[in-house]
Amino acid sequence: MRPSGRAPDEMRPISIETGFTKHAEGSCLIGFGDTRVLVTASVEERLPPWLKGKGEGWVTAEYSMLPRATHTRGQREAAKGKQSGRTQEIQRLIGRSLRAVVDLKKLGERQITVDCDVIQADGGTRTASISGAWVALRLAVNGLMAQGLIKEDPISAKVAAISCGIHQGTPVLDLDYIEDSNADADANFVLIEGGNIAEAQATAEGAPYDEEALLRLLRLARMGCAQIFEAQGKAVG
Amino acid sequence: MRPSGRAPDEMRPISIETGFTKHAEGSCLIGFGDTRVLVTASVEERLPPWLKGKGEGWVTAEYSMLPRATHTRGQREAAKGKQSGRTQEIQRLIGRSLRAVVDLKKLGERQITVDCDVIQADGGTRTASISGAWVALRLAVNGLMAQGLIKEDPISAKVAAISCGIHQGTPVLDLDYIEDSNADADANFVLIEGGNIAEAQATAEGAPYDEEALLRLLRLARMGCAQIFEAQGKAVG
Amino acid sequence: MRPSGRAPDEMRPISIETGFTKHAEGSCLIGFGDTRVLVTASVEERLPPWLKGKGEGWVTAEYSMLPRATHTRGQREAAKGKQSGRTQEIQRLIGRSLRAVVDLKKLGERQITVDCDVIQADGGTRTASISGAWVALRLAVNGLMAQGLIKEDPISAKVAAISCGIHQGTPVLDLDYIEDSNADADANFVLIEGGNIAEAQATAEGAPYDEEALLRLLRLARMGCAQIFEAQGKAVG
Amino acid sequence: MRPSGRAPDEMRPISIETGFTKHAEGSCLIGFGDTRVLVTASVEERLPPWLKGKGEGWVTAEYSMLPRATHTRGQREAAKGKQSGRTQEIQRLIGRSLRAVVDLKKLGERQITVDCDVIQADGGTRTASISGAWVALRLAVNGLMAQGLIKEDPISAKVAAISCGIHQGTPVLDLDYIEDSNADADANFVLIEGGNIAEAQATAEGAPYDEEALLRLLRLARMGCAQIFEAQGKAVG
Amino acid sequence: MRPSGRAPDEMRPISIETGFTKHAEGSCLIGFGDTRVLVTASVEERLPPWLKGKGEGWVTAEYSMLPRATHTRGQREAAKGKQSGRTQEIQRLIGRSLRAVVDLKKLGERQITVDCDVIQADGGTRTASISGAWVALRLAVNGLMAQGLIKEDPISAKVAAISCGIHQGTPVLDLDYIEDSNADADANFVLIEGGNIAEAQATAEGAPYDEEALLRLLRLARMGCAQIFEAQGKAVG
Amino acid sequence: MRPSGRAPDEMRPISIETGFTKHAEGSCLIGFGDTRVLVTASVEERLPPWLKGKGEGWVTAEYSMLPRATHTRGQREAAKGKQSGRTQEIQRLIGRSLRAVVDLKKLGERQITVDCDVIQADGGTRTASISGAWVALRLAVNGLMAQGLIKEDPISAKVAAISCGIHQGTPVLDLDYIEDSNADADANFVLIEGGNIAEAQATAEGAPYDEEALLRLLRLARMGCAQIFEAQGKAVG
């Protein structure tokens, strides 16, 4: 029995509110249950120095938790003067996930930076970030295409992510904070619409797991991502 | 004529949505027109080392802009590794403004940290932050009193803040970004319900101003704060 | 009765020794009583990147306290690895105050950096810094004009600053450290010769203050700045 | 055909030289082909503050590349003043991998820090680090047991790691630098002797991969880790 | 012929003005020609953690150049966020030099921090700093003895330092900036009254030097330090 | 009697293994007894900005201790976020020592960075670093000459360094860690083959020393460096 009363393969409600801020070229507030992340995609007509003159663009991401997104207040990274290893790990993952579905040549010599700021955390902030990041990116690219700045769509498919794990011996989908805190294994899958995998990460927290468990988690992830793909589709119209 | 078409003494609509996040002891999303700030008040039963054992508490504040709160994306301070002078100046001002209406002895040996994170900026982010900070603080203190942790109310009055300035020769209230960018003088007043001043700051940007102008700005600020006090009152019930 | 025995509107003796260091294009050691600040103005024929090619120059300031300028030794900011919020707030104020009387176009494409290093602190270090900064800047600009590098004088007027505050119920001028430590309100005014205001900042420390008090402080500041303008005039000959 | 001429399931030669430095409680120089990592395990009879008094110990890891371990010199992280996201990601992974086979209660209230310094890099530095880290940890724990400081062996099994990937359409084991630079997918598996998985990470670099590919990579990893377990066994005698 | 017209063994005028700042327990402004350093000695009744409870005290030093102490403005170290290698090297040398003549047990469990801030630089700032540091330290210790806080004098002798070098083939004493910039060899000697050496550092800048040259430089340094010891004696009365 | 049983003028065995890593243009593992330093010389066809366009090159050095090179683990400088004063002092010394025998014009517009990473420390790490740095530099320059990139040999002579000190009243050569920890004086000499001195540094740790002692230390250093020059010669063939 899950603490939330959900069935093992039951997602929390997904909500995606696009256009949440007025300045960004693409934005949304994405919710997986009580986890809420504000995502903006910013288009800049400039490139990092190491990419200049190669005839292609760049997509990157930054991630942050507001200090009181969590149960107890965490120290602000800007005040500490550095980003934690966890923050850097997550923002690198978000960037890689987006680039898995973007043709950087078609994007042209410009950079899109996707900022994922967690407003409220209840487990799954990195997977909500990736799923929302695709929406913000899609909206920003739509704008570039509408303006005629991009000819061919550089985005080849949807990408979404979901966590799953083994909780008290049972593989479960979309862990909330309580489950996440005492799961035996904790996995994050980044899937591409159509069935392929962009990234799989599965970590034993309590007891190590076997190949069978890995496959069962992957199947749960497929079920979850199917629902996210649908919500993403509705959100971007 | 103001770019927004507002009268010189006309505020933008004020919105205050309390309880915007579930973990913080007090929180609100405050809007002055398109400027929106998420404010949380976090109660911690510990004190900074220099205050321990003095029989009193502490109220402090932190401020940040999300990278794409603004027209163009700004670099994330956590990534730069330090907070700008502007950020530090603002968060010091928010803390002082709150402490002007809090009796730290009555608060007891605990710390309340108010986080003001600007989600969308259109001028007046520091004054919206102060005005929202009072709401979040009030809610957090209400909770402490309801739990019996505080006997006497440590908050003596409401505090609110508003910007005003001289725009094309005319003193105007509640500058938005366009006005702020080319004002001749730019002032921020932090007022206490009942008529007193907690902080006055008036800076000549283009041309210096005279005593008469300073007084006219202060009178506009009184009008603006009266409306904020009313909105604060409604918000905290 | 003031701790120093001064009358409420009585300044401490002002001393300005120009040419205190031989390398700087302009320099002075300014004293307001026991507060002493070494100020240098450095001319550089280069600009910050964001100002290049606009046909105008820049004036900026940096501020620091020597570790033992104060009663007890403070940690050196270079050793801590960052400047405090207070330091940044003050150096931003000094820069703004100087720019209020400088026509950057007439200055031409060069930068003047004014360094204010507090050698001994006894209250009023920021206002002494501003008042001395004008002297160092004036001397540096005189040099540029004498060399024919600048045709028209870019400095339109003198600028000076003074602190005042409410001490035991009485508005007083030019607070020393003892008064400053227990003032009810603490204000700094930056005034321009001729009567206008460049910056007004008034903060309630103990009890909030009213409009009447603000005006009385401003009038004291006018009296103080009149004496500083005179001392500046003598110093630059 | 692999650039090195190896068969798809062929590892590079593994070398483990124990006791490489004289001060550390456990140490080895591990080589996977031309990749060489110096690993030391340091026992300290103290704990991080957040673990004190819980009756258990801690195992953690740090990772670094010498500046010229790579084809071209990289900037020294100590000179840059911060560790890269990649470094932090890797050292977090090493620590988790070791803790997957350590009973922290049996370790007692002490900390073991495993330092992995890459002397020469040719692909697979993180997996060589994990595999060598187990050896250094085993030796350090052997010492503690020989001294009677630990009664029951806190290490439950061997742990080893290996990279594999899809190179020109073929799943291959133990990628060297040339393969790693243009693999379509890149995976790292951390396996526990006996068959379980401690961590699986598989990233699409070029084209996304499917479930079948993930399983084939896992099977290659099992073959590789079997050889590492054997080498580890010989090394620790 | 030296650029300044001085004889090879001729020092610049030495000036020592004690009590230059009112807060420090000991202070002086020391000048070697145009080089001027403000030195303060601060007594604190606390110790660094690693020295607590050993029944002895500590003497340490910090060094800094004001940004415009030099011909062209240098960036402020507090603004850069770190102290240069040169700064750290010099402040370590000053501390070692002072400790060479202090009995830390007789000092008792307190710390004296000597701050050397270069106000104007014309060569020899580190040696002027050491020579002035002894004066400030002597004055601070005199104060502690006068208050009865220290029974036995912890200072065993005077310590002074002087630079010398080989300039256009000739060994010369007390290099000014012009000489220092194109010396073939540059040495700093820290000598103890009575004839012993606390520290010798001689660096070939242009051409390497031989043993004979090293000895000639040392003899010049003895002549210079004799004059400094005399000036120190007069300064502390 | 020395703790190691060595005669006062007896060096520890010197070992130099060239080509220790495959990527660097020059490299060696140098050992002075149990002190072992991995040195690499990296050639880069670029220059620091301040040297561009002057028709000459640059040679610089970086130094680091692996965290467990020492008896107890030291904190990693990359994790602390800054290099210690000691590290900076040593790497500046290594760079100066190399430049004393390099004609930067003959090197041409390129930079050689020598990295000295101490793998195991037992006293004398800075002198072993300098002595090994020359070997790595020599090998790198040989490569440049073999490729025809440099016409005339920019290296004029060998440079080597050795520590010596006064231990229990006796001048001794090549101090190991135990001697170094309680020497009365500690000196490092950097000598150039042929007899000249590049750098001499002699510090009193316990008691100050006299001119006679300085000369005796220098003579010991000459004996030690003669052996190092021989080992360097064999190493580079």
Side-chain angles (χ1 to χ4, degrees):
Chain A
M1 189 62 174
R2 303 177 71 172
S4 60
R6 282 188 280 149
D9 61 357
E10 187 182 344
M11 293 276 288
R12 292 176 290 178
I14 302 167
S15 61
I16 303 178
E17 181 182 347
T18 57
F20 193 74
T21 72
K22 72 170 189 173
H23 298 307
E25 284 74 23
S27 77
C28 71
L29 181 71
I30 189 165
F32 282 14
D34 278 339
T35 290
R36 283 191 294 160
V37 185
L38 172 53
V39 187
T40 58
S42 297
V43 177
E44 289 168 299
E45 298 293 323
R46 58 178 191 76
L47 280 175
W50 49 272
L51 255 184
K52 276 180 190 156
K54 298 201 176 167
E56 54 184 69
W58 188 240
V59 174
T60 187
E62 295 195 5
Y63 168 95
S64 182
M65 284 254 202
L66 294 200
R68 194 56 196 281
T70 42
H71 284 77
T72 56
R73 186 176 184 275
Q75 205 191 337
R76 192 177 286 270
E77 290 187 332
K80 273 193 289 193
K82 65 176 183 177
Q83 295 179 301
S84 72
R86 179 184 173 276
T87 290
Q88 292 194 60
E89 201 171 301
I90 293 175
Q91 65 194 14
R92 284 157 55 90
L93 173 63
I94 301 170
R96 278 201 309 274
S97 299
L98 293 174
R99 289 192 298 272
V101 295
V102 173
D103 182 327
L104 296 173
K105 287 212 186 309
K106 291 184 186 165
L107 181 59
E109 294 202 336
R110 55 178 59 85
Q111 172 166 296
I112 302 185
T113 303
V114 179
D115 286 288
C116 301
D117 286 273
V118 180
I119 279 177
Q120 192 169 276
D122 188 27
T125 65
R126 83 185 68 188
T127 52
S129 293
I130 293 167
S131 302
W134 183 86
V135 171
L137 178 69
R138 178 72 270 175
L139 294 172
V141 169
N142 286 354
L144 289 167
M145 294 179 72
Q147 290 172 273
L149 292 166
I150 291 182
K151 303 296 167 206
E152 267 183 288
D153 190 357
I155 301 179
S156 59
K158 290 193 191 105
V159 70
I162 194 67
S163 76
C164 37
I166 299 172
H167 183 255
Q168 300 185 333
T170 307
V172 295
L173 178 63
D174 188 22
L175 283 70
D176 57 27
Y177 176 77
I178 297 178
E179 288 172 323
D180 195 33
S181 310
N182 49 64
D184 291 325
D186 178 16
N188 292 291
F189 290 94
V190 183
L191 302 182
I192 293 170
E193 202 179 22
N196 279 335
I197 305 170
E199 183 114 7
Q201 294 188 339
T203 303
E205 300 286 349
Y209 56 92
D210 60 15
E211 184 176 321
E212 173 60 23
L214 180 63
L215 289 181
R216 289 181 65 186
L217 293 177
L218 175 53
R219 278 152 206 172
L220 281 174
R222 286 194 196 288
M223 293 172 59
C225 284
Q227 294 176 47
I228 303 171
F229 291 135
E230 199 187 321
Q232 288 175 326
K234 278 187 196 149
V236 302
Chain B
M1 190 62 176
R2 304 178 70 171
S4 60
R6 281 188 279 149
D9 60 357
E10 187 182 343
M11 293 276 288
R12 292 175 290 178
I14 302 167
S15 63
I16 303 178
E17 181 182 348
T18 57
F20 193 74
T21 73
K22 71 170 191 175
H23 299 307
E25 283 73 23
S27 76
C28 71
L29 181 69
I30 188 165
F32 280 15
D34 278 340
T35 289
R36 284 192 293 161
V37 185
L38 171 53
V39 187
T40 58
S42 297
V43 178
E44 291 168 298
E45 298 293 323
R46 56 178 192 73
L47 280 176
W50 48 273
L51 255 184
K52 276 180 191 157
K54 298 201 176 167
E56 55 184 68
W58 189 240
V59 175
T60 187
E62 295 195 3
Y63 168 94
S64 182
M65 284 253 201
L66 294 200
R68 194 55 196 282
T70 42
H71 284 77
T72 56
R73 186 176 183 274
Q75 206 191 337
R76 192 177 285 271
E77 290 187 331
K80 274 193 289 193
K82 65 175 181 176
Q83 295 179 300
S84 71
R86 180 185 173 276
T87 290
Q88 293 193 60
E89 201 171 300
I90 293 175
Q91 62 194 14
R92 284 157 55 91
L93 172 63
I94 302 170
R96 278 201 310 274
S97 300
L98 293 174
R99 290 192 298 273
V101 294
V102 173
D103 181 327
L104 296 173
K105 286 212 186 309
K106 290 185 185 164
L107 182 58
E109 294 201 336
R110 55 179 58 84
Q111 172 165 297
I112 302 186
T113 303
V114 178
D115 287 288
C116 301
D117 286 272
V118 179
I119 280 178
Q120 193 170 275
D122 188 27
T125 65
R126 82 185 68 189
T127 52
S129 293
I130 293 167
S131 303
W134 184 86
V135 171
L137 178 70
R138 177 73 271 174
L139 294 172
V141 168
N142 286 354
L144 288 167
M145 293 180 73
Q147 290 171 273
L149 292 167
I150 291 181
K151 304 296 167 205
E152 265 184 290
D153 189 356
I155 301 178
S156 60
K158 289 194 191 104
V159 70
I162 194 67
S163 76
C164 37
I166 299 174
H167 183 254
Q168 300 185 333
T170 308
V172 294
L173 178 62
D174 188 22
L175 283 71
D176 57 28
Y177 176 76
I178 296 177
E179 287 171 323
D180 195 33
S181 310
N182 50 62
D184 290 325
D186 178 16
N188 293 291
F189 290 93
V190 183
L191 302 182
I192 294 170
E193 204 179 20
N196 279 335
I197 305 170
E199 183 116 7
Q201 295 188 338
T203 304
E205 301 285 350
Y209 56 92
D210 60 15
E211 184 176 322
E212 173 60 25
L214 181 63
L215 289 181
R216 289 181 64 185
L217 293 176
L218 174 54
R219 278 152 207 171
L220 281 174
R222 286 195 196 288
M223 293 172 59
C225 285
Q227 294 177 48
I228 304 172
F229 291 136
E230 198 187 322
Q232 289 175 326
K234 277 187 195 148
V236 302
Chain C
M1 189 63 175
R2 303 178 70 172
S4 60
R6 281 188 280 149
D9 60 357
E10 186 182 343
M11 294 275 288
R12 293 175 290 179
I14 302 167
S15 62
I16 303 178
E17 181 182 349
T18 57
F20 193 75
T21 73
K22 71 170 189 174
H23 299 307
E25 283 74 23
S27 75
C28 71
L29 181 70
I30 189 166
F32 281 14
D34 277 340
T35 289
R36 284 192 293 161
V37 186
L38 171 53
V39 187
T40 59
S42 297
V43 177
E44 290 168 298
E45 297 293 323
R46 57 177 191 75
L47 282 175
W50 49 272
L51 254 184
K52 277 179 192 160
K54 299 201 176 169
E56 56 184 67
W58 188 240
V59 175
T60 187
E62 295 196 4
Y63 169 94
S64 181
M65 284 254 203
L66 295 200
R68 194 55 197 282
T70 42
H71 283 77
T72 56
R73 186 177 183 273
Q75 206 190 337
R76 191 177 285 271
E77 290 187 332
K80 275 194 287 194
K82 65 175 180 176
Q83 295 178 301
S84 71
R86 179 184 175 278
T87 290
Q88 293 193 59
E89 201 170 302
I90 293 174
Q91 63 194 14
R92 285 157 55 90
L93 172 63
I94 302 170
R96 278 201 309 275
S97 299
L98 293 174
R99 290 191 298 272
V101 295
V102 173
D103 181 325
L104 296 173
K105 285 210 188 312
K106 290 184 186 162
L107 181 60
E109 294 201 336
R110 55 178 59 85
Q111 172 167 295
I112 301 184
T113 303
V114 178
D115 286 288
C116 301
D117 287 90
V118 180
I119 280 178
Q120 192 169 276
D122 187 27
T125 65
R126 84 185 66 189
T127 52
S129 294
I130 293 167
S131 303
W134 183 86
V135 172
L137 178 69
R138 178 72 271 175
L139 295 172
V141 168
N142 286 354
L144 289 167
M145 293 180 74
Q147 291 172 273
L149 292 166
I150 291 182
K151 303 296 167 206
E152 267 184 287
D153 189 356
I155 302 179
S156 58
K158 291 194 190 105
V159 70
I162 193 66
S163 76
C164 37
I166 299 173
H167 183 255
Q168 298 185 333
T170 308
V172 294
L173 178 63
D174 188 21
L175 284 69
D176 57 28
Y177 176 76
I178 296 177
E179 288 172 323
D180 195 33
S181 309
N182 50 63
D184 291 325
D186 178 17
N188 293 291
F189 291 92
V190 183
L191 302 183
I192 294 170
E193 203 178 21
N196 279 335
I197 305 170
E199 183 115 6
Q201 296 188 339
T203 304
E205 300 286 350
Y209 56 91
D210 59 16
E211 184 176 320
E212 174 59 25
L214 180 62
L215 289 181
R216 290 181 63 187
L217 293 176
L218 174 53
R219 279 154 206 170
L220 282 174
R222 286 195 197 287
M223 294 172 58
C225 284
Q227 295 177 47
I228 304 171
F229 291 134
E230 198 186 322
Q232 288 174 327
K234 277 186 197 150
V236 302
Chain D
M1 190 61 174
R2 305 178 69 172
S4 60
R6 282 188 280 149
D9 60 357
E10 188 182 342
M11 293 276 286
R12 293 176 289 178
I14 302 167
S15 63
I16 303 178
E17 181 183 347
T18 58
F20 194 74
T21 72
K22 71 170 189 174
H23 298 307
E25 282 74 23
S27 76
C28 70
L29 180 71
I30 189 165
F32 281 14
D34 277 340
T35 289
R36 283 192 293 160
V37 185
L38 171 54
V39 188
T40 58
S42 297
V43 177
E44 290 168 299
E45 298 292 324
R46 58 177 191 75
L47 281 176
W50 49 273
L51 254 184
K52 276 181 191 157
K54 298 201 175 168
E56 55 184 69
W58 188 240
V59 175
T60 187
E62 295 196 4
Y63 167 95
S64 182
M65 284 254 203
L66 294 200
R68 195 55 197 281
T70 42
H71 284 76
T72 56
R73 186 175 183 274
Q75 206 192 337
R76 193 177 284 270
E77 290 186 332
K80 273 193 288 193
K82 66 176 182 175
Q83 296 179 300
S84 71
R86 179 184 174 277
T87 290
Q88 293 194 59
E89 200 171 301
I90 293 175
Q91 63 194 14
R92 285 158 54 91
L93 173 63
I94 302 170
R96 278 201 310 274
S97 300
L98 293 175
R99 289 192 299 271
V101 295
V102 173
D103 182 326
L104 296 173
K105 287 212 185 312
K106 290 185 185 163
L107 181 59
E109 292 201 336
R110 56 178 59 84
Q111 172 166 296
I112 301 184
T113 303
V114 179
D115 286 288
C116 301
D117 286 273
V118 180
I119 280 178
Q120 191 168 276
D122 188 26
T125 65
R126 83 185 68 190
T127 52
S129 293
I130 293 168
S131 302
W134 183 86
V135 171
L137 178 69
R138 177 72 274 175
L139 294 171
V141 169
N142 286 355
L144 288 167
M145 294 180 73
Q147 291 172 273
L149 292 166
I150 291 182
K151 303 297 167 204
E152 266 184 289
D153 189 357
I155 301 179
S156 59
K158 290 193 191 107
V159 69
I162 194 67
S163 76
C164 37
I166 299 173
H167 182 255
Q168 299 185 333
T170 308
V172 295
L173 179 62
D174 188 21
L175 283 71
D176 57 28
Y177 176 76
I178 296 178
E179 289 172 322
D180 195 33
S181 310
N182 49 63
D184 291 325
D186 178 17
N188 292 291
F189 290 94
V190 183
L191 302 182
I192 294 169
E193 202 179 22
N196 279 335
I197 305 170
E199 182 115 9
Q201 294 188 340
T203 303
E205 300 285 351
Y209 56 92
D210 60 15
E211 183 176 322
E212 174 59 24
L214 181 63
L215 289 181
R216 289 181 64 187
L217 293 177
L218 174 53
R219 278 153 207 172
L220 281 174
R222 287 195 196 287
M223 294 172 58
C225 284
Q227 295 176 46
I228 303 171
F229 291 135
E230 199 187 321
Q232 288 174 326
K234 278 187 195 150
V236 302
Chain E
M1 189 62 174
R2 303 178 71 172
S4 60
R6 282 189 280 150
D9 60 356
E10 187 181 344
M11 292 276 288
R12 293 175 288 179
I14 302 167
S15 62
I16 304 178
E17 181 182 347
T18 57
F20 194 74
T21 73
K22 71 170 191 175
H23 299 307
E25 283 73 23
S27 76
C28 71
L29 181 71
I30 188 165
F32 280 16
D34 277 340
T35 289
R36 284 193 292 159
V37 185
L38 171 53
V39 188
T40 58
S42 298
V43 178
E44 291 167 298
E45 298 292 323
R46 58 178 191 75
L47 280 176
W50 49 273
L51 254 184
K52 277 180 191 158
K54 299 201 176 168
E56 55 184 68
W58 189 239
V59 174
T60 187
E62 296 195 4
Y63 168 94
S64 182
M65 284 254 203
L66 294 202
R68 195 55 197 281
T70 43
H71 284 77
T72 56
R73 186 176 184 273
Q75 206 191 337
R76 193 177 285 270
E77 291 187 331
K80 273 194 289 193
K82 65 176 182 177
Q83 295 179 301
S84 72
R86 179 184 173 278
T87 290
Q88 294 194 58
E89 202 171 300
I90 293 175
Q91 64 194 12
R92 285 157 55 91
L93 172 63
I94 302 169
R96 278 201 309 275
S97 299
L98 293 174
R99 290 192 298 273
V101 294
V102 174
D103 182 326
L104 297 173
K105 286 213 186 309
K106 290 184 186 164
L107 181 59
E109 294 201 337
R110 55 178 60 83
Q111 172 166 296
I112 302 185
T113 303
V114 178
D115 287 287
C116 302
D117 286 90
V118 180
I119 279 178
Q120 192 169 275
D122 188 27
T125 66
R126 82 185 68 188
T127 52
S129 294
I130 292 168
S131 302
W134 184 86
V135 172
L137 178 69
R138 178 72 272 173
L139 294 172
V141 168
N142 286 353
L144 288 167
M145 293 180 73
Q147 290 171 274
L149 291 166
I150 291 183
K151 303 297 167 205
E152 265 184 289
D153 189 357
I155 301 179
S156 59
K158 290 193 191 106
V159 71
I162 193 67
S163 76
C164 37
I166 299 173
H167 182 254
Q168 300 185 333
T170 307
V172 294
L173 178 63
D174 187 22
L175 284 69
D176 57 29
Y177 176 77
I178 295 178
E179 288 172 322
D180 195 33
S181 309
N182 49 63
D184 291 325
D186 179 16
N188 293 291
F189 290 94
V190 183
L191 302 182
I192 294 170
E193 202 178 22
N196 279 335
I197 305 170
E199 183 115 7
Q201 294 188 339
T203 303
E205 300 286 349
Y209 56 92
D210 60 15
E211 184 176 321
E212 174 60 24
L214 180 63
L215 289 180
R216 289 181 65 185
L217 293 177
L218 174 54
R219 279 154 205 169
L220 282 175
R222 286 196 196 286
M223 294 171 58
C225 284
Q227 295 176 48
I228 304 172
F229 291 136
E230 198 186 322
Q232 288 174 326
K234 278 186 196 151
V236 303
Chain F
M1 188 62 173
R2 304 178 70 173
S4 60
R6 280 188 281 149
D9 60 357
E10 187 182 343
M11 294 275 288
R12 293 175 290 178
I14 302 167
S15 62
I16 304 178
E17 181 183 347
T18 56
F20 194 74
T21 72
K22 71 170 189 174
H23 298 307
E25 284 72 24
S27 76
C28 70
L29 181 70
I30 188 165
F32 280 15
D34 278 339
T35 289
R36 283 192 293 160
V37 185
L38 172 53
V39 187
T40 58
S42 297
V43 177
E44 290 168 299
E45 298 293 323
R46 56 177 192 76
L47 281 175
W50 49 273
L51 255 185
K52 277 179 191 159
K54 298 202 177 167
E56 55 184 69
W58 189 239
V59 175
T60 187
E62 295 196 4
Y63 168 95
S64 181
M65 285 254 203
L66 294 201
R68 193 56 196 282
T70 42
H71 283 78
T72 56
R73 186 177 184 273
Q75 206 191 336
R76 193 177 285 270
E77 289 187 333
K80 273 193 290 193
K82 65 176 182 176
Q83 295 179 301
S84 71
R86 178 184 174 277
T87 290
Q88 293 194 60
E89 200 171 302
I90 293 175
Q91 63 194 14
R92 284 157 55 90
L93 172 63
I94 302 170
R96 277 201 310 274
S97 300
L98 294 174
R99 290 191 299 271
V101 294
V102 173
D103 182 325
L104 296 173
K105 286 213 186 308
K106 290 185 185 163
L107 181 59
E109 293 202 336
R110 56 179 58 83
Q111 172 166 296
I112 302 184
T113 303
V114 179
D115 286 287
C116 302
D117 287 272
V118 180
I119 280 178
Q120 192 169 275
D122 187 28
T125 65
R126 83 184 68 188
T127 52
S129 293
I130 292 167
S131 303
W134 183 86
V135 172
L137 178 69
R138 177 73 272 175
L139 295 171
V141 168
N142 286 353
L144 288 167
M145 294 179 73
Q147 290 172 273
L149 291 166
I150 292 182
K151 304 297 167 203
E152 265 184 290
D153 189 356
I155 302 179
S156 58
K158 289 192 191 106
V159 70
I162 192 68
S163 76
C164 38
I166 299 173
H167 183 254
Q168 300 185 333
T170 307
V172 294
L173 178 63
D174 188 21
L175 283 70
D176 57 27
Y177 177 76
I178 296 178
E179 288 172 323
D180 194 34
S181 310
N182 50 63
D184 290 326
D186 178 17
N188 293 290
F189 291 94
V190 184
L191 303 182
I192 294 170
E193 203 178 21
N196 279 335
I197 305 170
E199 182 116 7
Q201 294 188 338
T203 304
E205 300 285 349
Y209 55 92
D210 59 15
E211 183 175 322
E212 173 61 25
L214 180 64
L215 289 180
R216 290 181 63 186
L217 293 178
L218 174 54
R219 280 155 205 169
L220 281 174
R222 287 196 195 287
M223 294 172 58
C225 284
Q227 295 176 46
I228 304 171
F229 290 135
E230 198 187 321
Q232 288 174 326
K234 277 186 195 150
V236 302

